[in-house]
Amino acid sequence: MSRKITALDLAPGELSDATKAYFAKCEEKLGLVPNVLLSYAFDEKKLRAFTDTYNDLMLGDSGLSKLEREMIAVVVSSVNHCYYCLTAHGAAVRQLSGDPALGEAMVMNFRAANLSPKQTAMLEFAVKLTEEPAKIVEADRAALRAAGFTDRDIWDIASTAAFFNMSNRVAAAIDMRPNDEYHAMAR
């Protein structure tokens, strides 16, 4: 029995060979095709825009580690109560850190985790940008610089937080469901 991955009835579109290969690579590396990708499969142009942005932000060159970027994804998703992203990116934090407790703390309350002052500053900024974007001022950027972040890092923190705010809203709007496999990963 296949479970619906969103509340919308959007039939998958015709996928290019490149996209089919990308899905096969996901299956090979992750053991699944993430439901977020399947949910975009009704429109390859939208799927490509999503994956290009995601891959650039989460896997591209950055002064932020992959773990730090995943931590931002989880903390933003925690503020927004995004079930899909908390499940999928919580698993990524557990896997990248090798610490299941860190993944759980990121999901529930990052302030309870044993984080460096630099990581805490990064996540506090991501929370403020999520909750009160109009109240971001130079003092907030100065606090990140004082913690050791470059202006390029600040761009990456902001872009990652913004991307997950957008993704969280889409996931909430369409009731996107995470792959069951994420629940058991890296525990």
Side-chain angles (χ1 to χ4, degrees):
M1 175 174 113
S2 85
R3 189 170 64 114
K4 284 188 69 138
I5 59 171
T6 75
L8 305 182
D9 189 18
L10 298 171
E14 187 63 35
L15 300 178
S16 68
D17 289 342
T19 298
K20 290 176 188 173
Y22 183 69
F23 282 9
K25 187 175 186 178
C26 290
E27 187 74 48
E28 176 189 323
K29 285 185 154 197
L30 304 172
L32 57 91
V33 177
N35 283 347
V36 67
L37 301 181
L38 296 174
S39 71
Y40 275 90
F42 73 96
D43 184 328
E44 186 156 7
K45 186 174 179 183
K46 289 181 182 358
L47 173 63
R48 186 64 45 218
F50 176 86
T51 58
D52 286 350
T53 303
Y54 175 89
N55 289 338
D56 178 57
L57 289 172
M58 300 304 284
L59 306 173
D61 290 338
S62 176
L64 306 177
S65 69
K66 287 181 175 69
L67 175 58
E68 288 169 330
R69 289 177 267 184
E70 290 290 351
M71 291 166 75
I72 293 168
V74 174
V75 167
V76 167
S77 300
S78 180
V79 170
N80 292 324
H81 306 286
C82 180
Y83 179 51
Y84 182 93
C85 290
L86 285 170
T87 304
H89 296 282
V93 168
R94 293 191 304 270
Q95 187 170 40
L96 289 168
S97 69
D99 183 357
L102 177 62
E104 296 304 311
M106 290 293 100
V107 165
M108 294 178 208
N109 177 6
F110 78 91
R111 294 173 185 99
N114 185 20
L115 302 174
S116 71
K118 185 176 182 181
Q119 290 169 327
T120 300
M122 172 187 77
L123 297 175
E124 291 290 0
F125 183 86
V127 167
K128 185 173 182 179
L129 185 59
T130 298
E131 293 178 335
E132 303 176 302
K135 293 185 179 179
I136 295 287
V137 295
E138 183 54 36
D140 298 303
R141 291 180 289 277
L144 289 174
R145 290 184 194 105
F149 290 106
T150 67
D151 281 6
R152 168 60 198 267
D153 296 336
I154 295 168
W155 177 275
D156 289 349
I157 293 166
S159 295
T160 302
F163 177 81
F164 280 95
N165 273 293
M166 182 275 299
S167 295
N168 291 171
R169 283 154 177 75
V170 172
I174 67 172
D175 192 25
M176 189 183 300
R177 293 295 162 156
N179 302 66
D180 289 335
E181 295 88 341
Y182 283 128
H183 295 286
M185 287 181 173
R187 294 215 180 250

